[in-house]
Amino acid sequence: MAESEEGQEKTEQATGKRREEAREKGQVARSAELVSVGILVACLIYFYFGTSGLLKNVMELMTSGFRAAGKGDITQASINGIFATYLFKGFIILFPLMLTVLIAAILCNVLQVGLMFSTESLEPKLSKIDPISGFKRLFSLRSIIELIKNIFKMFIVGVVAYLVIKKEQDNMFNLMDQSVWGTMVYLGSISFKIILTVTIVLIILAIFDYIYQRWEYEKSLRMTKQEVKDEFKNTEGDPLIKSRIRRLQREAAQKRMMAAVPKADVIITNPTHLAIAIKYDPDNMQAPVVVAKGADYIAEKIRQIAEENDVLIVENKPLAQVLYKTVMVNDFIPETIYRAVAEVLAYVYDQKKVRLFG
């Protein structure tokens, strides 16, 4: 198994972030063999359907060149002009073939890795010209595998070409009776047959190469358990820090809640386990609101603050339990228990009148 610099085994699959970073650096699972085979197939298709037109254009270019060779004086200026003219005409003839190769190369790359543009691989790095690093890359396991793969590919191509030619050996003796054009047609058909057979073999090899490149890419992206933990901390945050933040948030919320207790109209208790503070302002509220609630220690603090601020405490076990379980802080009292709360508030208002008028 692959190991990190710390000696830990890289047994974990790469995370999405790791894959995204590798893609930004231009590190993807890509087989150069598939690109080469794709270009070869595109050229084979082009020659199959366009050979006659290509040969015709080349023959016409050569014919016009030979005819023009005997006309006029041969000077440096005329030679330069003829060279430029026929270079341009040759480019026009070969442009469809070059365009086919370009499209095939782009298409094969896009099908493998999708649309991707990365400049990092083009950035100058001293490690690229370091002779020691270059020597290590030259004799690395990957280089040896590539060398073996290329030798095997050349051997397969040679064997296939030999078998095709050997099969046509008897027909070659009849070429002496053929015309020049007939000989060229025969040699062209033999060449096409060799290229077609070799292409089929290369397609199979390219598929296996892509599978290998994919496996090696996934292997290179593997992570140690510690790397996964560190990445999680960097992206999601350290669990200890997040726990501290949540605790501080709870403490801040409790302080705000306790600050609302002195303004409450009544505290409904269980009597010691639960405490719910309710406030109601008929002019500004459509229903009573739970401004604070808590159990055990929080309930005790709510009762303590209420006693210090002369907020009436009413014991009502069923109502306290319902309010604690169903109503969140700063939420309105639901209609289903509005009547029970209204009775408590009515009692509270009566008690306030008694205290006021004695």
Side-chain angles (χ1 to χ4, degrees), residues 335-354:
E335 294 182 1
T336 54
I337 57 175
Y338 185 78
R339 183 173 179 177
V341 174
E343 291 176 355
V344 173
L345 289 173
Y347 171 76
V348 170
Y349 296 149
D350 290 339
Q351 291 297 313
K352 287 183 178 180
K353 289 178 182 180
V354 171

Side-chain angles (χ1 to χ4, degrees), residues 308-319:
E308 293 173 355
N309 292 272
D310 294 328
V311 178
L312 193 62
I313 299 175
V314 176
E315 180 182 340
N316 190 325
K317 295 181 180 180
L319 183 58

Side-chain angles (χ1 to χ4, degrees), residues 195-209:
I195 295 174
L196 178 61
T197 308
V198 168
T199 300
I200 294 173
V201 175
L202 291 180
I203 289 174
I204 298 174
L205 294 178
I207 293 174
F208 281 106
D209 181 69

Side-chain angles (χ1 to χ4, degrees), residues 9-220:
E9 293 183 351
K10 294 187 175 183
T11 57
E12 306 302 309
Q13 293 294 326
T15 61
K17 185 174 182 295
R18 181 67 169 264
R19 294 178 186 277
E20 184 178 350
E21 290 176 349
R23 186 176 179 84
E24 290 175 355
K25 296 178 182 179
Q27 299 173 1
V28 291
R30 174 183 171 275
S31 172
E33 300 297 331
L34 273 181
V35 178
S36 301
V37 170
I39 293 174
L40 183 60
V41 171
C43 292
L44 195 64
I45 295 173
Y46 176 82
F47 283 123
Y48 182 80
F49 291 101
T51 301
S52 58
L54 180 63
L55 287 177
K56 181 180 178 182
N57 292 331
V58 172
M59 294 295 291
E60 289 178 355
L61 182 63
M62 294 177 64
T63 301
S64 62
F66 289 137
R67 288 176 179 176
K71 298 179 181 179
D73 298 330
I74 303 298
T75 62
Q76 184 67 35
S78 64
I79 291 176
N80 291 337
I82 292 172
F83 179 77
T85 299
Y86 286 96
L87 182 64
F88 176 75
K89 290 182 178 180
F91 174 78
I92 295 300
I93 293 173
L94 295 178
F95 179 75
L97 177 60
M98 291 186 291
L99 183 62
T100 300
V101 171
L102 178 62
I103 293 174
I106 295 174
L107 187 61
C108 288
N109 279 289
V110 170
L111 290 176
Q112 289 189 77
V113 301
L115 294 175
M116 185 187 70
F117 181 76
S118 175
T119 60
E120 185 162 338
S121 59
L122 302 177
E123 294 178 358
K125 295 181 180 179
L126 294 177
S127 59
K128 293 182 178 180
I129 58 174
D130 184 4
I132 298 178
S133 300
F135 186 80
K136 290 180 178 179
R137 288 195 299 268
L138 184 63
F139 292 96
S140 64
L141 179 61
R142 183 181 180 87
S143 299
I144 295 174
I145 292 175
E146 290 295 324
L147 176 62
I148 295 174
K149 184 176 64 178
N150 289 328
I151 293 175
F152 179 72
K153 185 169 64 176
M154 292 174 61
F155 173 75
I156 292 296
V157 170
V159 170
V160 170
Y162 170 76
L163 293 177
V164 173
I165 294 174
K166 184 177 181 180
K167 188 176 181 180
E168 296 289 334
Q169 186 175 4
D170 295 337
N171 296 327
M172 291 182 180
F173 293 107
N174 299 326
L175 292 179
M176 62 183 67
D177 299 327
Q178 299 289 330
S179 62
V180 175
W181 182 252
T183 302
M184 292 181 62
V185 171
Y186 177 77
L187 292 178
S189 64
I190 293 297
S191 300
F192 182 83
K193 187 180 296 185
I194 292 174
I195 295 174
L196 178 61
T197 308
V198 168
T199 300
I200 294 173
V201 175
L202 291 180
I203 289 174
I204 298 174
L205 294 178
I207 293 174
F208 281 106
D209 181 69
Y210 177 76
I211 295 173
Y212 168 75
Q213 297 294 340
R214 191 77 191 179
W215 173 80
E216 189 178 58
Y217 173 73
E218 293 294 334
K219 181 181 177 182
S220 67

